[in-house]
Amino acid sequence: MSTTTVQTTAPINPDPLMNLLEVSAYTKQSLTTVRRWHYRGWLKTFRLGRSVVVRRSEVDRFLTDTEAQAR
């Protein structure tokens, strides 16, 4: 009799999707500020169903670019 091993956990996504509220918590900025970034097109977001989401790598890129411009 042979046994089969089945992986029951999903692989961890190194670049998760975040909604605007999660971006607000991640960046420690107000939700209004994050929405402003979204509406002005500074933060590359997209719709997933009715939700507006962004990849964490995009948030990190935006913050790095903003920091570089401030110098």
Side-chain angles (χ1 to χ4, degrees), residues 40-71:
R40 291 182 179 175
W42 296 347
L43 192 60
K44 305 290 189 265
T45 60
F46 60 97
R47 288 211 169 263
L48 188 61
R50 294 178 65 189
S51 300
V52 175
V53 295
V54 61
R55 294 203 176 274
R56 186 170 62 196
S57 62
E58 172 59 24
V59 175
D60 293 336
R61 182 211 53 84
F62 170 73
L63 294 173
T64 302
D65 290 352
T66 302
E67 180 182 11
Q69 290 175 357
R71 291 182 182 189

Side-chain angles (χ1 to χ4, degrees), residues 1-55:
M1 177 176 243
S2 66
T3 60
T4 304
T5 304
V6 178
Q7 184 178 1
T8 58
T9 58
I12 296 173
N13 183 358
D15 194 15
L17 296 175
M18 305 167 74
N19 63 31
L20 296 183
L21 187 59
E22 291 169 327
V23 173
S24 174
Y26 181 68
T27 61
K28 297 181 178 149
Q29 297 297 312
S30 70
L31 184 56
T32 302
T33 297
V34 174
R35 285 182 176 150
R36 187 176 303 125
W37 296 342
H38 160 67
Y39 289 127
R40 291 182 179 175
W42 296 347
L43 192 60
K44 305 290 189 265
T45 60
F46 60 97
R47 288 211 169 263
L48 188 61
R50 294 178 65 189
S51 300
V52 175
V53 295
V54 61
R55 294 203 176 274

